[in-house]
Amino acid sequence: SKTRFYINAWMDPVDLDIGGFKMRIGNRLENKVAVGGAKFLVDLQVAPSPSVLIDIRGAFDIPMLKAYGYLNVTLNADVFSFTAGIDLFGGALSSHVNVTWNWDLTFFRME
């Protein structure tokens, strides 16, 4: 028998409005606007053979601050990848990171 933990969840896009402060949460950015529903997939299996699959996708935008950002995490038998970024004030302040590697270490990137 298998010993497994499995979650495959999506959420509808979320529009928050707290006293005029608006924020939208989605799974990707299109034209600096969060669209789609955030995704969260985790599949951990211990037996008969260990395996891990993680796929997380999220994004947000805050019009008042001209801010937007994203997060993508992938982990499977071949690769680990973490990509995230945020831009504030229409891109006046910006930070982005990408870390990716293959488990056999034939590929590694950090930027």
Side-chain angles (χ1 to χ4, degrees), residues 80-102:
F80 170 79
S81 177
F82 174 87
T83 306
I86 186 170
D87 288 277
L88 297 170
F89 310 116
L93 298 173
S94 181
S95 179
H96 298 266
V97 63
N98 178 2
V99 178
T100 303
W101 70 76
N102 289 351

Side-chain angles (χ1 to χ4, degrees), residues 1-91:
S1 80
K2 294 181 180 180
T3 303
R4 185 176 186 195
F5 176 79
Y6 181 81
I7 297 173
N8 188 5
W10 287 83
M11 63 185 240
D12 291 334
V14 175
D15 288 302
L16 302 172
D17 186 344
I18 303 169
F21 185 83
K22 296 180 181 183
M23 178 177 183
R24 182 171 177 90
I25 300 171
N27 76 355
R28 67 187 183 285
L29 292 171
E30 288 184 6
N31 298 317
K32 304 176 184 177
V33 175
V35 298
K39 176 183 178 183
F40 184 82
L41 169 65
V42 176
D43 187 359
L44 306 173
Q45 182 173 300
V46 177
S49 60
S51 67
V52 176
L53 172 62
I54 297 175
D55 189 14
I56 300 170
R57 310 245 175 248
F60 72 92
D61 71 83
I62 305 170
M64 180 184 288
L65 299 176
K66 294 184 182 177
Y68 47 92
Y70 61 91
L71 168 73
N72 299 319
V73 178
T74 301
L75 180 124
N76 59 39
D78 300 317
V79 68
F80 170 79
S81 177
F82 174 87
T83 306
I86 186 170
D87 288 277
L88 297 170
F89 310 116

